[in-house]
Amino acid sequence: MLDAALSSYGAHVVLAISSDENHPPENIIDGKTETFWISTGMFPQEFIIRFPDNMNISTVSIHSYNIKRLRIEKGTSEDADKFEAVADTEFEQTESSLQANDISVNVSNTTHLRFFILSGYDHFVSVHKVSVQS
Amino acid sequence: MVKLRAKCVVVGDAAVGKSTLCQMFRSDGAVFQKNYTMNVGVELLEKSVSIPDTSDTVEFYIFDSAGREPFADACENMWKQPSVVCVVFDISSEVSFTSSGRWIDRLRSHCDGLHVPGVLVGNKSDLAVRREVDGAEARAWAQTHGLEYHETCAREIGQFEAPFLSLARAFHSLYQDQMQIVQSLV
């Protein structure tokens, strides 16, 4: 159970294709829903989280806003160049609260998770917190 | 400082001046194509504009799409999820203006229900003597379709930028609105 900030376990966001300098991608893994990363236009959007060790992950929890379709992929090589889809899901739209979703992934032995945001309920989507359970 | 990215799909009948408008904007007026070459696919151009009174920029990915069938049909799968749209007609061609409705309907079907800012551009405004489309009529039509109207002469500095700048502003203000909503939730 790693519900605390992923960053305190040595995880990093190693890639995020868009960024507002006031809302950096590190906000995704700081354990807080108050801070967030927001996309700055166009789909798809992606970010990659790297873990310090090989991980077994059963569930990914994600707090977000306006994400419609999300695909999660696990890294199958050390240098994060090969990925394999482990979940493809569509979130419900929320208006007055963040989207909170648990996604079952059942991944063993991976060091990277790639999040692919394929569409949104708005041009801009935000990700507030990602945590994982093993 | 924020750098936004916007996919801008440009459509309209063949030979209304879409490519010239896009090329002039991309090159800050350095490239005015004197000879007509028909676009049979989608030409992708990239250009950044600064939003006045901010330190923010919008980076446009302009999809300059063929106007002539059947090429336009083949281009349609490139129109998915546009951030902003631009419909161009030629003020000296009533037919090209009439087509605008069809173009905007086709574009809207790729917008996934999102609010997508758009402009209607009446191009070739220097051809005043051959004008077939009344400016006021075009403006009124644009308004009823939720588009901002611009008349341009693609060769005049100060004109070809205007539609893109207005799209950039509209997209930037959507970003600010969304940011406010997100911040109110946390």
Side-chain angles (χ1 to χ4, degrees):
Chain A
M1 181 84 168
L2 292 182
D3 200 37
L6 281 173
S7 55
S8 64
Y9 290 86
H12 290 279
V13 179
V14 289
L15 173 102
I17 63 163
S18 81
S19 178
D20 175 334
E21 62 184 12
N22 295 319
H23 303 280
E26 294 73 39
N27 287 350
I28 295 171
I29 53 167
D30 66 1
K32 299 183 224 154
T33 56
E34 294 78 27
T35 59
F36 56 89
W37 165 83
I38 186 164
S39 72
T40 52
M42 294 180 49
F43 291 101
Q45 291 284 330
E46 80 172 282
F47 60 91
I48 295 174
I49 297 177
R50 185 179 69 207
F51 302 101
D53 294 308
N54 270 340
M55 298 278 290
N56 296 323
I57 302 167
S58 62
T59 308
V60 173
S61 300
I62 175 164
H63 285 78
S64 58
Y65 193 61
N66 274 329
I67 290 180
K68 193 171 185 186
R69 204 169 140 221
L70 173 74
R71 190 166 75 218
I72 302 177
E73 299 174 346
K74 66 165 184 178
T76 56
S77 67
E78 274 294 309
D79 33 357
D81 56 352
K82 292 193 191 76
F83 288 89
E84 185 184 296
V86 292
D88 195 326
T89 177
E90 198 163 311
F91 291 170
E92 300 268 325
Q93 185 172 19
T94 56
E95 264 176 29
S96 51
S97 63
L98 298 179
Q99 298 167 308
N101 289 279
D102 292 335
I103 304 145
S104 154
V105 291
N106 293 317
V107 166
S108 54
N109 274 330
T110 194
T111 50
H112 294 82
L113 280 184
R114 170 151 80 172
F115 294 77
F116 235 78
I117 303 164
L118 297 158
S119 60
Y121 293 104
D122 190 87
H123 295 282
F124 311 105
V125 299
S126 55
V127 178
H128 298 247
K129 180 180 172 181
V130 169
S131 54
V132 298
Q133 284 168 36
S134 42
Chain B
M1 193 196 80
V2 184
K3 188 161 93 177
L4 301 180
R5 289 200 183 92
K7 173 173 178 173
C8 175
V9 178
V10 180
V11 296
D13 277 3
V16 297
K18 296 182 294 299
S19 300
T20 305
L21 188 70
C22 295
Q23 298 282 359
M24 286 292 273
F25 173 60
R26 203 273 320 265
S27 66
D28 292 319
V31 179
F32 181 78
Q33 261 186 306
K34 291 206 174 87
N35 296 318
Y36 178 65
T37 49
M38 186 173 69
N39 210 345
V40 295
V42 172
E43 181 144 20
L44 178 60
L45 306 162
E46 190 255 302
K47 167 83 178 169
S48 289
V49 287
S50 307
I51 304 295
D53 310 320
T54 70
S55 56
D56 302 342
T57 54
V58 175
E59 189 172 69
F60 277 114
Y61 292 84
I62 300 171
F63 288 63
D64 174 19
S65 196
R68 176 99 59 214
E69 299 296 354
F71 307 113
D73 251 355
C75 293
E76 220 174 306
N77 62 357
M78 302 281 289
W79 298 357
K80 289 197 182 89
Q81 299 175 306
S83 314
V84 297
V85 296
C86 175
V87 180
V88 186
F89 71 94
D90 169 357
I91 62 135
S92 69
S93 156
E94 176 77 38
V95 177
S96 71
F97 174 59
T98 314
S99 297
S100 301
R102 190 171 46 83
W103 287 111
I104 194 69
D105 287 347
R106 276 172 83 176
L107 277 177
R108 294 276 185 225
S109 69
H110 295 275
C111 292
D112 281 357
L114 261 58
H115 168 66
V116 173
V119 289
L120 176 70
V121 178
N123 196 26
K124 309 194 188 179
S125 63
D126 51 325
L127 298 182
V129 285
R130 280 158 50 192
R131 179 186 280 275
E132 288 184 5
V133 181
D134 178 53
E137 188 195 334
R139 185 176 301 277
W141 186 89
Q143 233 166 31
T144 62
H145 287 77
L147 304 169
E148 194 173 305
Y149 184 61
H150 289 269
E151 258 185 32
T152 56
C153 163
R155 73 168 88 194
E156 292 293 329
I157 300 278
Q159 294 204 0
F160 55 80
E161 309 94 324
F164 295 102
L165 189 57
S166 106
L167 288 172
R169 277 200 170 112
F171 196 61
H172 184 253
S173 91
L174 286 181
Y175 182 73
Q176 289 182 314
D177 293 349
Q178 188 61 21
M179 181 63 78
Q180 275 199 342
I181 295 171
V182 173
Q183 275 170 337
S184 74
L185 293 177
V186 298

